[in-house]
Amino acid sequence: MSTRMRLAICGLSAGKKARLHRILYKHGLGNGTALFLPYDQGLEHGPRDFFADPIASDPKYIVRLALEGGFNGIAIQIGLAEKFYWDYAGEVPLILKLNGKTDIPSDASALSPLHASVEDAVRLGADAVGYTLYVGTPAQQDDFAQFRGVRQEAQRFGMPLIVWAYPRGEAIEHKGGKDSFYAVHYAARVASELGADVVKVNFPHPEKHADVPAEYGSEFSSQEAIDEVVRAANRTMVLVSGGSRASDEVMFEKAQESMSAGATGLIFGRNVWQRDHEESLRFVERLRQILAKYPTP
């Protein structure tokens, strides 16, 4: 199903449809696919992520890189959005992350608290908001309740809601791990059922199947696994994360399989900016060549 068809049939309000159309057809390749640059790692992981290429610690450099690379949007926290996005407002879409946590406490009972609102996103000129939902955490009752408030506000303001659907918690670690096929597949379905407009998932690893439910114990290829993840999201558009830094060949294969499965696009951060400027742009151009093969007119 094409992205434009999804915009027409998935019950979006006029405001959400207009903003998503702007992201997908007025930026990037303009062909209905998406390439996003996430830059919330300074909060989520700490400044260590910038050691590989120190210039990446400068938010102004990252926003400019998103513009130069032809990204469909950049995802940042409110402090950086208020201080650095103004210089490029309107030139590259803003996805305002509404919640986040540090990497200091254990993930055993992970919960990502709110520190911004949908109203903040409107004030800053954002085209979407992002929310991290920890699927499987013992704190999921509080997480679901917090998410419900965000979803209602996003609906009221006509703001597309992108959910970072991340399996976390002790139970997940004892059932294949956070990037197992079982966990990622489940997370995509949960985000869809709870009302996400777009879901961001990690690429599934079907070889990680220790102690998973029996249905996931069979042999699945990586292509079969990502096919099922996209299918589980049904009318919720899917973005596949780049995750931690890996070889270019691994990243390009991940991108190819994701788009072949029917994903709307990719959201690659560390694999883009943990390298020097020119190398970053060359890497992004290869990703754009993959996306160009999957237009959704």
Side-chain angles (χ1 to χ4, degrees), residues 50-68:
F50 309 131
F51 286 173
D53 189 22
I55 189 63
S57 66
D58 180 0
K60 185 173 182 179
Y61 167 75
I62 297 295
V63 181
R64 188 171 67 248
L65 182 63
L67 182 61
E68 292 175 337

Side-chain angles (χ1 to χ4, degrees), residues 20 54-55 79 107 117-118 120 137 163-164 168 211 223 225 239 257 261-262 273:
L20 282 172
I55 189 63
D107 274 348
S117 67
V118 179
D120 287 324
T137 175
V163 172
W164 275 234
R168 290 292 189 276
D211 299 319
Q223 184 66 70
L239 301 175
E257 291 186 350
W273 43 256

